[in-house]
Amino acid sequence: MMGDLKVDKSLRPTVMSRVLIDYVANKASYGADHFKLHGVEMPTIDSKRTGLSTASAYFVAGQEGLDSQLIRLDYQNKTLDRYDFGPGQFVTEPIYARSKTDAKRGYILSEVYSRADRKSRLTIFDGQNLAAGPIAEVLLNHHLPLGFHGFWAD
């Protein structure tokens, strides 16, 4: 779903800013594109783009103190794309996995814990269209501890 995030506005806003570093002039400045996002955390990008310009960044957000939404911030179009797993579903850090056939595309992997059945699953999304929902899920017959931290390596 594109548009404004519906998250707990009482949370302190997170401001995403672009910092421009000019090594020749030995100075740094903030870019003009600032985005106020409330209650987001665990940002990630394509790790092969670290230190370079990137089209998108991915986050988690939510309300109950735990996160139920995956979010993509499209820097070029200045839009938000999100998927909400719903109440009682807690999503962990998004992991970006670059496509083997198209360097501009990738997938988002994230663990989701269901409070109702106390089980976890690995969800896989098209990195360009979170709102469409998972393109695949790996269902587990047990739970995993929350905290799927890492990155994707070829």
Side-chain angles (χ1 to χ4, degrees):
M1 170 186 294
M2 298 298 244
D4 293 334
L5 296 177
K6 292 182 172 66
V7 297
D8 187 346
K9 298 291 184 183
S10 69
L11 297 173
R12 202 166 150 209
T14 304
V15 179
M16 296 297 301
S17 300
R18 181 173 59 160
V19 177
L20 306 172
I21 301 171
D22 184 339
Y23 291 104
V24 175
N26 197 28
K27 68 178 187 174
S29 61
Y30 283 100
D33 49 352
H34 298 280
F35 302 92
K36 276 192 178 176
L37 304 173
H38 291 263
V40 298
E41 59 183 348
M42 299 188 195
T44 193
I45 61 170
D46 175 356
S47 62
K48 289 192 176 191
R49 302 288 311 161
T50 300
L52 304 172
S53 66
T54 186
S56 298
Y58 301 87
F59 309 87
V60 295
Q63 294 187 27
E64 304 170 30
L66 291 172
D67 302 310
S68 65
Q69 300 174 30
L70 281 176
I71 299 157
R72 178 176 64 93
L73 172 58
D74 182 325
Y75 290 112
Q76 294 172 336
N77 297 316
K78 296 182 172 47
T79 57
L80 296 171
D81 175 25
R82 73 178 176 101
Y83 182 81
D84 192 333
F85 288 92
Q89 305 292 309
F90 304 114
V91 63
T92 63
E93 177 183 14
I95 305 294
Y96 186 89
R98 184 183 275 207
S99 168
K100 287 275 191 192
T101 58
D102 183 352
K104 293 182 181 181
R105 297 194 64 84
Y107 302 94
I108 295 298
L109 288 70
S110 190
E111 173 196 343
V112 180
Y113 171 75
S114 171
R115 182 172 35 194
D117 62 12
R118 298 181 179 181
K119 294 180 182 176
S120 297
R121 65 190 183 275
L122 175 66
T123 58
I124 303 168
F125 287 80
D126 175 344
Q128 299 300 309
N129 189 3
L130 300 182
I135 58 174
E137 292 186 321
V138 179
L139 305 175
L140 303 176
N141 59 7
H142 54 82
H143 76 282
L144 294 175
L146 294 175
F148 188 52
H149 298 290
F151 66 95
W152 187 262
D154 290 337

